[in-house]
Amino acid sequence: MIDQVLIDGVCRSIKKGKSVNRRLPYGGKLVLDKPLPYLCVYRYAKNEDMYLSGLLKTQGAYLIARQDLNIEELLSCLAGTIANEFNAFMILELWMAPEAGIETFKIYSPSDRSPATIKALKEGFEEIEVLYNPLQVSVINTVHRHPPNLKPLLSIEKAKEVGTLEIGIEIPLIYKDETGNLYALLYRKVRRKISQVLKRAAYEFIRVQTSNQFGHYLTLGKTQLTQLARSADRQLAEVSEKMNFLLRVSPVNQTVEFENFKKHNYSKLPQFNYRLIALDPEEEKRKLFNIQLENIEDPTLAFLFRDKRMELEKQLMMLEERETKSFLHLSNSLYGDVGEDIVATAQQILREVSVDPRDTEEQIYADEFKTLALHELEIYQKHFSDIEMGVEIRKDINGIMVSKSKLLIGEDFCVEASRAEALIQHEVGTHILTYCNGKRQPFKLFYAGLAGYDPLQEGLAVLAEYLVGGLTAARLKTLAVRVIAVESVCAGADFIETYRLLNEEYGYSDKGAFNITTRVHRGGGLTKDAAYLKGLIRLMNFLQKGGEFESLYAGKFAMAHVPYVKELIHRRVVKSPFLPPYHNTEFARQKLARLREGIKITNLIEHENSIRH
């Protein structure tokens, strides 16, 4: 029996619009992330099935209780209270099929009520056939919408009295074998899919039957973050930030080695030195796999965290294999194949795009570029006053790079004056800004970087150059030749062979060819540099298909994560980002509109414009 004090407390919280998280007798639980006009219910016998419970715990409203616990009064009060607010209420009771081998989702429903909800359930479960085949879905019109060995949750009379629709769902045991062993990978995919199906069905019920207060089915998802999810995020970010991967695989003596390379007539392999690795990769990997991601109830967060853990494991292995042949194989696994389409586009750019040689091109150097960058950072410092930003000129940096919220500039850095604004928007207006936006999110990984974030980050950064009118023919060709250089490394070329390819066949200067070759051969073969062009191409396709641009600045994540990020924004877990000021200019809006119309990549520099400040 459930204490009346608990029942009254639950209903008072709902009336006040508060969340509910209550323990029930015998290990049961009632959770409402917020008042929602539906509830998923699972009644267990002596022992709770953790996997069926896991399906319910993906929802913003669920009740798990032992079969011999009388929950009718609790459900009546809860349903009546919420129905007063929304005009209707729905209970989805889930139970397992009685035995393995049954491959049918069974939906037990009334014959004349809420057809849109039943359709959403049926069509949603049918989509699971992509994951598991053969699979069937059966809709059974009946008054018996509960497990065969149990009584109804509410009598028909009581359900009518409190404005409640009851639907029963029998789940086939497709994620276990005949002896009860779990197919863990399948279960994760099925759990996420069922989570979406239940929310979509609930949304259809809400849309048709209630005073709809929800604009999208994803707004039904959880907004409360568990302590376990916060802890997992923190631990993953700590490993990521401590590793500082790119700095540890970048040589510290590149300038000196170029002079030696030139001295030996470009025919002696450089001897690069790297920073010492001040961590133990084995200990860091142990930390990663002590994080209990399998216990995170939210399938979206569990996926994002698991994806990041796999990436960190590969990066730690790369540190262990730095300057060995295995480094390149791990790099390919981490960053993925370049892709035939990317190579073909790179070759097209190098064929079709020509660079106008200029007799005199004004250059700006490290000190002046630092001043320009600090001016841009002032804009963001006002909005992100709690984040320390800055610019450093350093001897151990070649070119420029971003580390968290700081821009690092090599002391011998120089750039054409006409490219300065574009480069600042690449580094500050994209990389530093997405770090700062990520800092505002409840997850550290949004600024430390989710798995595989490089292509989208670099695609956004290059697109920023286009939107301020600074994506030049020379810049686009550099992105293309980096792809060629990566392909050369993957094909087995050594440093000198890649250098000669760029220098002799593609006409790059001695130092330019050396710098690109160093980037792709560092550590033993780092294929990351294909990400710039790959990210730009993927981003252009995304925008041409109507993809939303603004949410891409919410942090550092991969294109594959965009649906998950949008879900978290709908759930009000992730905040909408602050955008670069140039986005508000008519100049940038016109260029973005052209991009959405479907221009070719070679046309991004068709009409080069002066930089817009």
Side-chain angles (χ1 to χ4, degrees), residues 144-155:
H144 302 292
R145 302 188 290 276
H146 50 83
N149 59 325
L150 298 179
K151 294 180 179 179
L153 289 166
L154 297 173
S155 67

Side-chain angles (χ1 to χ4, degrees), residues 282-486:
E282 288 188 3
E283 286 186 11
E284 299 304 308
K285 281 187 278 188
R286 190 176 299 115
K287 290 178 187 176
L288 289 178
F289 287 94
N290 283 337
I291 304 171
Q292 298 179 351
L293 300 184
E294 66 277 6
N295 293 332
I296 293 177
E297 297 172 356
D298 190 317
T300 294
L301 298 184
F303 171 80
L304 294 175
F305 293 164
R306 191 171 284 111
D307 213 20
K308 183 62 179 180
R309 181 168 67 181
M310 185 179 297
E311 179 185 71
L312 290 172
E313 181 192 11
K314 290 178 181 178
Q315 288 178 335
L316 287 165
M317 292 171 67
M318 288 174 73
L319 292 183
E320 290 177 304
E321 299 294 340
R322 193 177 67 181
E323 297 187 272
T324 72
K325 292 182 179 179
S326 297
F327 186 91
L328 176 60
H329 299 301
L330 289 165
S331 180
N332 280 327
S333 175
L334 179 63
Y335 295 107
D337 294 334
V338 177
E340 293 181 3
D341 61 324
I342 306 301
V343 173
T345 302
Q347 292 170 338
Q348 177 192 7
I349 291 169
L350 293 169
R351 282 195 313 269
E352 298 181 8
V353 174
S354 58
V355 179
D356 283 336
R358 299 174 184 177
D359 296 330
T360 57
E361 175 68 20
E362 181 186 354
Q363 303 277 316
I364 63 171
Y365 295 89
D367 288 332
E368 188 176 353
F369 191 80
K370 176 181 178 179
T371 301
L372 294 173
L374 285 171
H375 177 72
E376 187 71 16
L377 280 174
E378 287 178 6
I379 299 170
Y380 299 112
Q381 192 68 76
K382 292 175 184 177
H383 190 78
F384 301 99
S385 58
D386 55 327
I387 300 175
E388 183 182 353
M389 303 180 194
V391 184
E392 295 179 14
I393 297 176
R394 291 172 49 163
K395 292 182 179 180
D396 62 344
I397 296 294
N398 183 68
I400 58 174
M401 67 184 299
V402 164
S403 179
K404 300 180 181 178
S405 58
K406 292 190 176 180
L407 180 65
L408 309 180
I409 306 173
E411 63 179 5
D412 61 346
F413 171 78
C414 67
V415 66
E416 296 90 348
S418 61
R419 281 273 304 146
E421 173 70 4
L423 201 52
I424 285 172
Q425 295 307 332
H426 181 114
E427 303 293 351
V428 176
T430 306
H431 295 325
I432 289 181
L433 176 58
T434 51
Y435 175 88
C436 294
N437 278 324
K439 269 281 194 179
R440 288 287 171 87
Q441 307 301 355
F443 305 111
K444 293 179 180 293
L445 286 178
F446 267 68
Y447 65 81
L450 289 165
Y453 70 87
D454 286 300
L456 179 54
Q457 270 289 297
E458 300 303 348
L460 268 179
V462 174
L463 197 68
E465 299 179 36
Y466 162 74
L467 292 176
V468 296
L471 183 57
T472 63
R475 173 63 167 164
L476 193 59
K477 291 192 76 167
T478 296
L479 303 185
V481 86
R482 285 179 182 175
V483 171
I484 301 301
V486 168

